[in-house]
Amino acid sequence: MLELAKLYATITYFHPTAGASWSEATEKHFPNVLRQPNRETLGMWLAGLGDPATGIIEPESADGAAAAGYTATTQEGWPTLTLPNTAWLLTPEGEERFVTFLRDAARAPCALFDLRATAPVSRRAAEHLAALTGGIAKPTLTQRAHYGKVPEVESTTGDFRTGWVVRDAQLTVRRWPRTAFLLTRHTPLPPFALALAQLGDAALFFEGEGALQEWAPTTTLPLPNGLSARVRVGISELPPVIRTHDSLTEALVWLKEIPLRSEERANAGGGEILQAPKTRLHAALRLWSALWLLHPNRETLQPVWEQAWPGFLAQVQAATDAPGFHRAVRRLLRLTRDGHAVTLTPLDGLLFGRMSAAVRLQTVEGKPMVVAIRHPAAAAGGAKIGDVVTAVDGVPVLQRRKQLEGYLAAGTPQARENYLNNRLLAGNEGSNAHLALEGGQSIVVPRLRTTSKERRGETVRILTGGTVYADLDRLTRDEIAPFFTHFGSAPALIFDLRGYVDETAWELAPYLAPRPNLVAAKFVRAVALPPEEGEIVGRYLEEVFFQRLPPRTGQKQYRGKVVALIDERTQSQAEHTALFLRACGATLVGSPTAGAVGDVTNIALTDGIVVRFSGQDVRFPDGTRVAGVGIQPQRLVRPTRKGIQAGRDEVLEAAQKAIL
């Protein structure tokens, strides 16, 4: 029975205390389990671990009517929640009131959670409480990890080993108040309460007899005959618990006495190394170290960064002001060849210009061409579709490009062209861009706020032959289901990914996937291990996992042809969507994408500068890279100057031909 084998493997390799006693229990009870895999035999087998957090999940009756909780404030104005029965949170009123309380508590200096349950709390209610508060903080977690299978009989040269991976307690919101929790033996300890106590920003007050129910990280596995088992897969140390006969009084005293610590550590994950630096030199060290150790493409780029370090250090030391430091950071980021590597700061506007002009440029036949008018004022100033720009405010385009490209990171040539075109005309808001055009004409285009969307007109429209076109640059997640309700019988669909797409891929895939469990992407995340004897830095691992298309949950499968339009504007979430559509069998038409895909991470520097860069690499299921390469179309089509001037969308036209 496969389920029993998976259960054994999970416990053997990931339960923190599986050892001789587990081996003995297996030898004693597993033959009976195989013969009769029922609640009794399975329970006796798992009992060999001596772990109350691991066992067969007992059925629960439906939660009855729960006593309503209520909120109030102390004399000091601190929010207080009284929750005698956690099952109240399963009601719409209870959940709404609780979420409101959390929002109020987040803004207060202190908060009090009175969770003194008077009767056992159902597993469903406890899990709902954990889900509602899971985004506040995460507790310390120690888990077993295996780097290959450790030899048991004779030595090998593989350096296979097993060990422990530790995650520190982490505050995952910007701030959270100093908090007191009032508990009884019936109260399941919420994970976020444990995390706050581990961070030193909460206290656990236990009232009454018995012992506190400790939280344990677990996983649930299906078993034969409709049973399920919960298995502990880690350890989280319980901080000191304050036993008292009057928990409310003592909690209020405690809240008044000790200052809050987490405001200085918000979102830091605990640890001084994660504090924002106070000097630019320290900031430079932190940035370079983070990129060197943890950038997903570190293996290729480390020699480049090592060579660049002396020059970067010299630029930082020479920087006498924030703009100078910002420019040095931008020059280093350019070496990442990572389209996600940017700075987030008002200094960006000083370097590149704070506002773009009311036209959009695209490189067509090697020249920057006006391909969209984004405001009537641009047309009034003389701008026309198909204009080729040769100078901006008296500066030749080639010279302006050289001024900008030293501060722009890009993974591919096509992405660099797009980034340059987006910034070529930028300047101060309210000013005018004086543009010289090929042929000697001059026009004036205002710099003002316009829509960031690539196209206008109908988001969804029916083309010749009944093919339906949908612009995913504007179509939202909530509109996907109605879209298929109306057009699920169309002979063909064309999805336009030429822009920044909303997270619609997860809604699209259940309709388009030809079969379940299709792999859409391979994720590769950098892992750095502590150094061993004789090493200077830690060894490197890659954490790899495969992302499958979301399952169909009642959606009717679409069986027509699917085509997706792509080009250099297809980046990040849009590229991820292209991977999903490709896994569903869509034909990609257009030109290569930007090659900047993967969840981003960030690091705080001085002068209000935040650096963002790719935190992991996203590839095709077979390992083919997307970052730094781009997704290649199956039908290569680029717009031409003649076609643009004629008002044609040649990529869309090619897609329609591909359907025939």
Side-chain angles (χ1 to χ4, degrees):
M1 297 181 186
L2 183 60
E3 298 97 332
L4 299 178
K6 289 182 177 180
L7 175 63
Y8 174 80
T10 301
I11 293 176
T12 301
Y13 285 97
F14 299 110
H15 191 283
T17 61
S21 61
W22 172 240
S23 296
E24 292 171 3
T26 299
E27 292 172 359
K28 181 178 180 180
H29 297 292
F30 192 67
N32 293 331
V33 169
L34 275 180
R35 282 192 293 268
Q36 291 182 310
N38 55 38
R39 189 178 302 277
E40 181 180 356
T41 58
L42 286 163
M44 292 178 65
W45 183 30
L46 298 181
L49 290 163
D51 175 18
T54 298
I56 302 301
I57 297 176
E58 297 294 333
E60 291 186 322
S61 57
D63 291 287
Y70 59 93
T71 58
T73 56
T74 65
Q75 289 181 336
E76 297 80 8
W78 302 335
T80 300
L81 170 73
T82 299
L83 194 61
N85 189 334
T86 308
W88 182 60
L89 299 181
L90 297 172
T91 67
E93 178 192 10
E95 179 172 335
E96 181 179 358
R97 291 276 298 277
F98 184 67
V99 170
T100 300
F101 170 78
L102 293 178
R103 190 161 47 243
D104 294 338
R107 297 191 291 263
C110 296
L112 192 147
F113 285 70
D114 186 350
L115 305 179
R116 290 177 290 181
T118 57
V121 175
S122 72
R123 182 176 65 254
R124 180 165 168 258
E127 289 173 349
H128 194 56
L129 172 59
L132 291 174
T133 54
I136 297 173
K138 298 184 182 300
T140 297
L141 184 59
T142 302
Q143 295 180 294
R144 296 174 69 187
H146 304 273
Y147 306 92
K149 176 67 179 74
V150 176
E152 297 178 9
V153 178
E154 56 187 15
S155 61
T156 69
T157 59
D159 195 26
F160 303 119
R161 58 201 187 277
T162 185
W164 297 90
V165 175
V166 180
R167 180 191 72 192
D168 290 336
Q170 181 180 6
L171 189 69
T172 51
V173 293
R174 185 173 296 277
R175 72 171 302 278
W176 187 259
R178 185 167 178 76
T179 308
F181 293 89
L182 313 186
L183 311 165
T184 70
R185 63 187 176 91
H186 295 302
T187 309
L189 181 60
F192 92 108
L194 175 61
L196 292 173
Q198 290 168 337
L199 289 167
D201 295 328
L204 309 177
F205 294 88
F206 183 85
E207 186 171 309
E209 299 178 350
L212 180 64
Q213 297 182 36
E214 296 186 33
W215 175 79
T218 62
T219 187
T220 301
L221 287 86
L223 298 175
N225 300 321
L227 300 175
S228 296
R230 178 172 286 108
V231 177
R232 180 196 290 266
V233 290
I235 302 170
S236 191
E237 184 179 355
L238 181 68
V241 176
I242 302 171
R243 281 186 168 272
T244 173
H245 296 293
D246 188 356
S247 56
L248 179 58
T249 299
E250 292 199 28
L252 291 173
V253 171
W254 180 83
L255 288 172
K256 295 175 184 177
E257 284 183 344
I258 306 175
L260 180 66
R261 291 166 45 190
S262 62
E263 287 196 21
E264 297 299 322
R265 192 179 53 246
N267 264 336
E272 293 299 322
I273 193 172
L274 296 176
Q275 295 294 318
K278 296 180 180 179
T279 67
R280 292 175 185 144
L281 186 59
H282 183 194
L285 281 166
R286 293 186 76 244
L287 174 62
W288 189 89
S289 299
L291 294 172
W292 188 59
L293 277 174
L294 292 170
H295 191 279
N297 198 23
R298 63 189 173 185
E299 187 175 348
T300 301
L301 296 178
Q302 275 185 344
V304 176
W305 288 325
E306 290 172 7
Q307 186 177 3
W309 169 248
F312 174 56
L313 182 60
Q315 292 172 28
V316 170
Q317 291 175 313
T320 58
D321 55 15
F325 177 61
H326 176 242
R327 290 193 294 272
V329 168
R330 274 281 185 170
R331 292 189 192 101
L332 181 70
L333 293 181
R334 184 181 185 275
L335 301 178
T336 64
R337 288 177 278 181
D338 174 2
H340 281 145
V342 297
T343 51
L344 306 176
T345 167
L347 294 168
D348 293 335
L350 188 63
L351 181 61
F352 298 115
R354 303 184 189 281
M355 191 63 58
S356 185
V359 297
R360 192 179 71 75
L361 300 182
Q362 186 173 0
T363 300
V364 179
E365 298 176 357
K367 298 178 180 180
M369 180 179 296
V370 175
V371 295
I373 305 294
R374 288 183 161 168
H375 195 279
K384 301 186 300 297
I385 301 296
D387 286 340
V388 174
V389 179
T390 59
V392 182
D393 295 330
V395 180
V397 163
L398 290 178
Q399 182 179 339
R400 177 64 176 150
R401 284 171 57 97
K402 289 180 180 179
Q403 293 171 348
L404 294 171
E405 64 183 354
Y407 303 110
L408 293 174
T412 60
Q414 62 268 23
R416 185 172 298 281
E417 288 296 316
N418 186 41
Y419 302 159
L420 285 168
N421 287 328
N422 289 342
R423 292 166 175 81
L424 202 60
L425 309 184
N428 292 329
E429 185 173 4
S431 65
N432 290 320
H434 296 266
L435 309 182
L437 305 180
E438 193 173 73
Q441 307 98 315
S442 296
I443 60 174
V444 177
V445 178
R447 296 182 173 108
L448 44 79
R449 294 187 183 277
T450 61
T451 177
S452 61
K453 298 303 179 182
E454 294 293 332
R455 288 163 290 278
R456 297 185 178 183
E458 293 179 301
T459 302
V460 177
R461 63 182 187 270
I462 301 176
L463 307 177
T464 303
T467 296
V468 177
Y469 165 91
D471 185 359
L472 292 190
D473 187 43
R474 293 178 289 165
L475 198 68
T476 66
R477 296 182 68 171
D478 293 339
E479 293 173 317
I480 297 300
F483 172 84
F484 279 97
T485 298
H486 287 90
F487 304 112
S489 299
L493 302 175
I494 297 176
F495 294 110
D496 199 334
L497 306 184
R498 296 173 296 176
Y500 199 92
V501 173
D502 192 12
E503 295 180 349
T504 48
W506 283 260
E507 273 66 39
L508 285 169
Y511 291 97
L512 303 178
R515 60 182 185 276
N517 295 319
L518 278 174
V519 175
K522 177 181 180 180
F523 281 69
V524 181
R525 181 184 299 130
V527 177
L529 295 178
E532 296 184 354
E533 186 67 28
E535 294 181 327
I536 299 176
V537 298
R539 301 186 188 188
Y540 304 132
L541 292 179
E542 288 184 333
E543 183 180 19
V544 177
F545 63 95
F546 292 89
Q547 182 181 52
R548 297 183 183 275
L549 296 177
R552 190 172 289 117
T553 55
Q555 298 93 337
K556 182 180 178 182
Q557 181 184 346
Y558 176 74
R559 298 186 180 277
K561 294 182 179 180
V562 180
V563 177
L565 313 183
I566 60 172
D567 66 9
E568 68 275 11
R569 293 168 289 175
T570 308
Q571 172 172 329
S572 195
Q573 188 61 235
E575 283 181 296
H576 207 140
T577 304
L579 287 172
F580 271 45
L581 294 182
R582 189 72 190 91
C584 292
T587 300
L588 306 184
V589 176
S591 53
T593 64
V597 61
D599 295 317
V600 297
T601 185
N602 58 69
I603 185 171
L605 307 182
T606 56
D607 302 290
I609 298 172
V610 173
V611 168
R612 178 187 289 168
F613 61 94
S614 293
Q616 58 190 11
D617 197 7
V618 180
R619 306 176 184 178
F620 279 95
D622 64 1
T624 301
R625 287 186 175 272
V626 176
V629 180
I631 298 173
Q632 307 302 308
Q634 290 144 293
R635 296 203 178 191
L636 179 62
V637 183
R638 301 183 191 274
T640 65
R641 183 175 184 179
K642 183 177 180 181
I644 289 173
Q645 289 175 330
R648 295 169 53 200
D649 186 339
E650 292 158 291
V651 177
L652 177 57
E653 292 173 4
Q656 291 179 272
K657 291 180 181 178
I659 291 170
L660 300 177

